[in-house]
Amino acid sequence: MDQAQAHRWLATAVEEARAGLAEGGIPIGAALYGADGTLLGRGRNRRVQDDDPSMHAETAAFRAAGRQRSYRGTTMVTTLSPCWYCSGLVRQFGIGRVVVGEAATFHGGHDWLAEHGVEIVLVDDAECVRMMTDFIEKNPALWNEDIGE
């Protein structure tokens, strides 16, 4: 996957992250794309809005995609390196690629995913970093809750 395509797909996840922040939630967004480039599902972290600790952005995008016969060839795009929970989802369902907006504010499970054959595309997007840095600075307790600390 080239960086231009990664940036185009990341824009969908960034829109979701912005929407989550506007709702008073944690600004993490995700999207699941099919092998043919079709957007299957998109979502955002809704832990705060739904009072549901399992509603991470990747989980929301995965659920929005609905049941698929197979996830081979799909790409999960996320504004932030996926946590262990979401990394497990990627492995469990055989999602072959993860596009990561940034891993500077949180280095989740993407190295582990790469070790297990998942293609990782790290974009290191300045807007994703800025959005999370600002959020963490203003909401340290909520951020620590989100990452399980």
Side-chain angles (χ1 to χ4, degrees), residues 21-46:
L21 183 61
E23 296 168 349
I26 299 162
I28 303 170
L32 184 65
Y33 282 89
D36 64 355
T38 301
L39 177 61
L40 301 174
R42 58 192 291 165
R44 56 189 165 272
N45 184 307
R46 296 192 51 86

Side-chain angles (χ1 to χ4, degrees), residues 32 62 71 74-76 89-91 93-98 118:
L32 184 65
F62 182 75
Y71 295 88
T74 61
T75 299
M76 180 65 75
L89 181 147
V90 168
R91 286 276 292 138
F93 291 96
I95 296 170
R97 180 187 303 131
V98 177
V118 177

Side-chain angles (χ1 to χ4, degrees), residues 105-118:
T105 59
F106 179 76
H107 194 99
H110 71 264
D111 289 338
W112 175 77
L113 288 170
E115 290 168 9
H116 288 88
V118 177

Side-chain angles (χ1 to χ4, degrees), residues 3 5 25-26 28 34 40-41 47 55 66 69-70 75-76 80 116 121 129 131 139 148:
Q3 287 290 316
Q5 181 68 54
I26 299 162
I28 303 170
L40 301 174
R47 294 179 71 253
M55 193 46 78
R69 180 174 168 86
S70 172
T75 299
M76 180 65 75
L80 184 65
H116 288 88
V121 179
V129 173
M131 199 170 3
N139 304 280

Side-chain angles (χ1 to χ4, degrees), residues 8 16 27 30-31 37 44 57 59 75 78 81 91-92 94-95 99 103 119 135-136 146-148:
R8 282 192 298 276
E16 289 292 325
R44 56 189 165 272
T59 306
T75 299
T78 180
S81 180
R91 286 276 292 138
Q92 174 70 30
I95 296 170
V99 173
E119 179 186 351
F135 178 81
I136 293 166
D146 193 60
I147 61 173

